[in-house]
Amino acid sequence: MASQTGDAPQRRRSTTLTVGTVGAVALALVLCGCSSGPDYQGVCADKRTGTRVDDSFCEHGNKSGGSGGYGWWYARSGSRVPAVGQTLPKAGGGEGFVSPKSGSVVRGGFSAHGGTVGG
C-alpha cells in the first residue's frame, strides 16, 4: 500500500531460520567431524575385577573398594564404553587406568548405559 506522499510500499523480510536450514547446519557440523567432546573419557571401575562401577566410587577420594580399589579408566574418543556393571575391554591403544598425558580428559558424567566416547 502506497503512502499519501506517493512513496512506494516497503517490503518486509523475515529473519527467522527454517527448520531445514537449522538441520542442514547441524548435519554439516556432524559430517565435518567437529566435535566438542573430550579426547578421553574417564569412567570409574573396580581395578581388581575390571568392572565398571558408578562414578561416585571414584569421586571425593573414595578409592577403598575391594582389595584392588577403584580408579578412573580412560577411553579414547570413538571408543565404546560398557554400561555400569559390565566388564571393561582390555587396556591398550591409549585406554586403561593410566591418565592420558595429552588431550582433553573428562572424568565422570558418562552415561551409565554406556555408549561411544565423543559420539
Side-chain angles (χ1 to χ4, degrees), residues 17-72:
L17 293 174
T18 65
V19 173
T21 303
V22 172
V25 169
L27 179 62
L29 289 173
V30 168
L31 292 177
C32 82
C34 303
S35 173
S36 61
D39 295 321
Y40 293 90
Q41 174 69 50
V43 295
C44 190
D46 183 320
K47 290 182 176 182
R48 185 177 53 82
T49 64
T51 302
R52 183 174 173 201
V53 297
D54 188 84
D55 290 342
S56 64
F57 286 92
C58 290
E59 294 169 348
H60 310 297
N62 181 3
K63 309 242 188 252
S64 61
S67 61
Y70 299 107
W72 293 111

